[in-house]
Amino acid sequence: MAKPLEFTPRIPTAQEKLHSEVEDSTDALLEGLYLLRQLHEHGVLDVAGKTVRGGEGLIASLLHITGGESGTTLLRNATELGKTLAALDPREVGILGSAITTGVNEGARHVAAGKGVGLGELMGLLKDRDVQVALGALFAVLKGAGRALREANGDMPKTANQSEVGR
């Protein structure tokens, strides 16, 4: 009687497994290499590498990528915007953001309904407490912005209709 053959398949080596995976992924690898070349040619890989290494030379690379003088202006503006946003109270920004969102939604519903506001309705709206609060907030923003603009110009004297109330 015949004995069964014992066969143990050979385990593929790491190199053989890699070669098989490369063959199965040729299209994806070619696309990935193309993308990698584009990132390298545009200096993005250099910036990403410097970011990972702790930012050494990062600003110089960003300036080079953004194109000299306009890049410097862009970075200065971004820095100033960051300082301004950092100075804002997050709670107050949240309250105003929520108010603006609610106002935009209300306005969209008003427009969708095809409603307008006549002069009589406008006068009536001025008696509405919500409208009074919103107008008060808008005028306070305008007043604060005006004061900051005057101070930035070195113009400190008060105007004739300016009072100490609300300062």
Side-chain angles (χ1 to χ4, degrees), residues 86-146:
L88 295 174
D89 180 359
R91 188 180 61 80
E92 291 173 353
V93 171
I95 291 169
L96 284 176
S98 176
I100 290 170
T101 301
T102 303
V104 167
N105 290 336
E106 184 72 25
R109 282 192 296 272
H110 198 80
V111 169
K115 294 181 181 177
V117 176
L119 186 58
E121 290 172 294
L122 181 61
M123 297 307 283
L125 283 172
L126 290 175
K127 294 177 186 175
D128 185 306
R129 181 71 182 137
D130 292 337
V131 172
Q132 290 173 354
V133 170
L135 284 173
L138 286 174
F139 284 119
V141 168
L142 290 173
K143 184 176 180 177

Side-chain angles (χ1 to χ4, degrees), residues 18-162:
L18 178 63
H19 183 70
S20 173
E21 289 296 320
V22 166
E23 284 179 356
D24 292 343
S25 305
T26 301
D27 291 338
L29 286 170
L30 289 174
E31 273 186 55
L33 286 172
Y34 175 76
L35 178 61
L36 193 62
R37 271 194 309 274
Q38 293 299 312
L39 292 173
H40 175 71
E41 288 173 11
H42 290 92
V44 175
L45 287 181
D46 185 45
V47 170
K50 288 178 180 178
T51 302
V52 170
R53 288 190 300 271
E56 186 176 315
L58 180 61
I59 298 298
S61 295
L62 286 172
L63 284 174
H64 177 71
I65 287 174
T66 55
E69 184 65 31
S70 63
T72 303
T73 304
L74 172 71
L75 287 175
R76 285 182 181 156
N77 287 339
T79 301
E80 287 301 318
L81 180 62
K83 287 179 189 176
T84 301
L85 292 175
L88 295 174
D89 180 359
R91 188 180 61 80
E92 291 173 353
V93 171
I95 291 169
L96 284 176
S98 176
I100 290 170
T101 301
T102 303
V104 167
N105 290 336
E106 184 72 25
R109 282 192 296 272
H110 198 80
V111 169
K115 294 181 181 177
V117 176
L119 186 58
E121 290 172 294
L122 181 61
M123 297 307 283
L125 283 172
L126 290 175
K127 294 177 186 175
D128 185 306
R129 181 71 182 137
D130 292 337
V131 172
Q132 290 173 354
V133 170
L135 284 173
L138 286 174
F139 284 119
V141 168
L142 290 173
K143 184 176 180 177
R147 183 181 324 122
L149 290 170
R150 269 190 316 102
E151 290 172 0
N153 284 333
D155 180 22
M156 298 305 287
K158 290 185 282 187
T159 59
N161 60 356
Q162 199 174 23

